[in-house]
Amino acid sequence: MGKDGSNKMKLVIVGAGGRLGAALVREYRDKHQVTGFNRDQLDLSNLHDVRETLRATDFDVLINAAAFTNVDRCETERDSAFLINGEAPGVLATICRDKGAKMIHFSTDYVFDGQKRAAYTEDDEPNPISAYGESKLAGEKNVLAANDEHLIVRVSWVFGPDRPSFVDAMIKRAQESDTVDAIADKFSTPTYTLDIAAMFPRFFPGYSARDYHGILHFANAGECSWQEYAQSALDCCQRIGLALKTKAVGGSKLKDMSGWLARRPVYSVLSTGKYTKLTDTPPRAWREAVADYITRFYSTK
């Protein structure tokens, strides 16, 4: 419920031009009063403009889906990474606190080091091994330091129709090349933007008797390697009749990725047990989500 007592919330979505932000705008624009800011309209590296713009905007909930997500560039552009991923979320959180608004901020499985071989829970201690992970963890801490009633949602391997991701790159390669390889010894879980968007309204203030806050993990159910993820996608493409030059994904090893600057966690599966307990709705399996995506958005290509 909005501050004015109506059923429509006034939402600000930062990062509205990105893969996740665009999905959120599309999901909510007919149900709520949505103001979306893409990077050209609100650059998180310019904190003065961020403060000026958002202080002049009326809203009930701010969703921050913007980030500096190029993991390797974060290694060479640490200052920018920590400004956008670390400092800026704290500024957003402070503005929300001062307005009496809720902030929902997205973070990542890369806050973990990957040494665990069971799904990471919200109570596990973060230990990032890259500048990207370090900067995102700094952002989490700054958001909750401004107001511990805000909500951090960690997600992993995000895919969806609004901007190409790993799964789209694998399909494109299979359409153009006789060989496709993907890493077989790195594990996490794909997360579909449409599923994220569908689950979010329950975390808006007034949706239920409980106002969710703190840290929450969300991903589709299960776990896989990048090779398994890519193979499942190509299998779906075959079922819908999409022409491919190759139908099998070969395996490569994480240690052989010599072109990468940043270290990646080997295992970063997020436990969604807390989400399921809070909502009584377990996320659907990652294979089902990937099949839905490919059926919807590749059948007409």
Side-chain angles (χ1 to χ4, degrees):
M1 183 176 291
K3 294 175 189 171
D4 60 2
S6 69
N7 290 326
K8 281 199 171 188
M9 306 287 294
K10 293 178 180 177
L11 307 182
V12 162
I13 298 174
V14 180
R19 186 183 304 135
L20 177 54
L24 297 175
V25 170
R26 186 173 53 252
E27 176 73 16
Y28 305 143
R29 63 189 172 195
D30 294 331
K31 304 165 189 158
H32 300 284
Q33 184 177 321
V34 175
T35 302
F37 293 102
N38 61 31
R39 186 168 56 186
D40 291 336
Q41 296 165 324
L42 193 71
D43 183 351
L44 292 189
S45 66
N46 188 331
L47 298 183
H48 176 268
D49 283 359
V50 168
R51 291 186 180 97
E52 290 291 308
T53 299
L54 292 180
R55 283 173 178 164
T57 305
D58 183 30
F59 57 88
D60 303 303
V61 178
L62 182 146
I63 302 175
N64 182 30
F68 187 165
T69 58
N70 187 308
V71 177
D72 289 324
R73 277 183 56 204
C74 284
E75 295 294 319
T76 58
E77 301 175 35
R78 287 181 65 91
D79 288 349
S80 291
F82 275 85
L83 175 59
I84 294 168
N85 295 340
E87 188 176 355
V91 170
L92 297 177
T94 300
I95 293 168
C96 290
R97 179 198 65 199
D98 293 346
K99 285 179 168 285
K102 177 85 171 185
M103 179 174 175
I104 300 173
H105 173 69
F106 282 99
S107 192
T108 174
D109 55 322
Y110 275 39
V111 299
F112 296 112
D113 60 16
Q115 295 303 305
K116 192 179 178 184
R117 290 301 182 268
Y120 283 94
T121 73
E122 292 83 354
D123 295 326
D124 283 319
E125 191 69 28
N127 184 34
I129 56 175
S130 66
Y132 171 67
E134 291 171 10
S135 65
K136 290 296 289 181
L137 180 59
E140 291 184 7
K141 291 179 177 179
N142 288 336
V143 167
L144 294 179
N147 187 347
D148 61 10
E149 294 298 310
H150 291 330
L151 178 65
I152 308 287
V153 180
R154 292 177 181 148
V155 293
S156 57
W157 290 5
V158 175
F159 71 96
D162 297 286
R163 182 172 289 188
S165 65
F166 169 82
V167 67
D168 304 290
M170 291 295 99
I171 293 170
K172 186 172 188 290
R173 195 171 301 170
Q175 290 175 312
E176 299 174 351
S177 173
D178 293 328
T179 60
V180 175
D181 294 307
I183 294 170
D185 57 355
K186 173 176 165 51
F187 302 88
S188 192
T189 309
T191 312
Y192 191 16
T193 56
L194 272 62
D195 289 0
I196 298 172
M199 73 89 162
F200 247 77
R202 70 188 69 217
F203 297 106
F204 294 162
Y207 180 89
S208 68
R210 181 172 181 179
D211 190 9
Y212 302 104
H213 61 276
I215 296 174
L216 188 68
H217 291 174
F218 184 82
N220 286 111
E223 62 182 70
C224 61
S225 67
W226 271 342
Q227 182 187 23
E228 291 171 309
Y229 182 15
Q231 186 62 64
S232 181
L234 296 195
D235 291 346
C236 292
C237 289
Q238 291 180 73
R239 286 197 293 271
I240 65 169
L242 192 68
L244 302 174
K245 286 190 173 182
T246 185
K247 299 175 182 178
V249 179
S252 55
K253 293 187 178 297
L254 191 59
K255 67 179 179 63
D256 296 330
M257 297 297 106
S258 57
W260 286 353
L261 296 177
R263 294 173 64 199
R264 271 83 163 167
V266 172
Y267 186 94
S268 57
V269 176
L270 298 174
S271 168
T272 57
K274 180 179 177 181
Y275 168 82
T276 301
K277 185 177 180 180
L278 288 173
T279 64
D280 293 322
T281 309
R284 62 174 165 170
W286 70 265
R287 289 183 187 275
E288 181 184 342
V290 170
D292 182 16
Y293 170 59
I294 290 172
T295 301
R296 278 202 214 189
F297 298 101
Y298 278 87
S299 292
T300 57
K301 290 187 179 182

